[in-house]
Amino acid sequence: MEMASLTGTIKVIFYIILFYYLFKFLMRIFAPILMQKAVNKMQEKMQEQYRQQQEQQNRTSQANAQTPKPKKEVGEYIDYEEVK
């Protein structure tokens, strides 16, 4: 019985080591591809935000240019006298 558990333990350790190196090998292949996709996606989001910001600034500047600024209207001047 002890021999069976020893070979089972060795098999488990062998499979763990095998999967570890297989995972490590696959990550060397696929990690750069995944990172590049993530960077490209983030860059596209940043460009979209920049475009939206530029459009918003253009709309704001056009709205300011189209609406004339109201002139300051000065009300009546009232002279107060001190009452005793």
Side-chain angles (χ1 to χ4, degrees):
M1 267 207 165
E2 191 170 307
M3 201 61 172
S5 67
L6 182 63
T7 47
T9 306
I10 292 174
K11 276 186 179 180
V12 168
I13 292 172
F14 173 74
Y15 285 130
I16 290 173
I17 292 171
L18 179 72
F19 286 129
Y20 170 74
Y21 281 108
L22 183 66
F23 179 75
K24 192 174 173 182
F25 174 74
L26 290 175
M27 289 305 347
R28 282 187 183 212
I29 293 172
F30 292 115
I33 296 169
L34 294 174
M35 290 298 289
Q36 188 63 39
K37 282 188 178 185
V39 167
N40 287 343
K41 196 170 193 176
M42 191 176 293
Q43 189 175 15
E44 288 174 6
K45 283 183 181 180
M46 294 285 281
Q47 287 175 350
E48 182 63 30
Q49 285 179 351
Y50 180 75
R51 271 190 233 110
Q52 287 177 354
Q53 191 176 23
Q54 290 299 330
E55 288 174 4
Q56 187 177 12
Q57 284 179 348
N58 288 343
R59 278 187 255 135
T60 305
S61 64
Q62 287 175 357
N64 288 342
Q66 289 176 354
T67 55
K69 294 182 181 177
K71 295 180 181 178
K72 276 190 172 179
E73 292 184 19
V74 180
E76 292 181 26
Y77 179 74
I78 300 174
D79 190 20
Y80 291 98
E81 292 183 20
E82 194 172 321
V83 178
K84 290 189 177 183

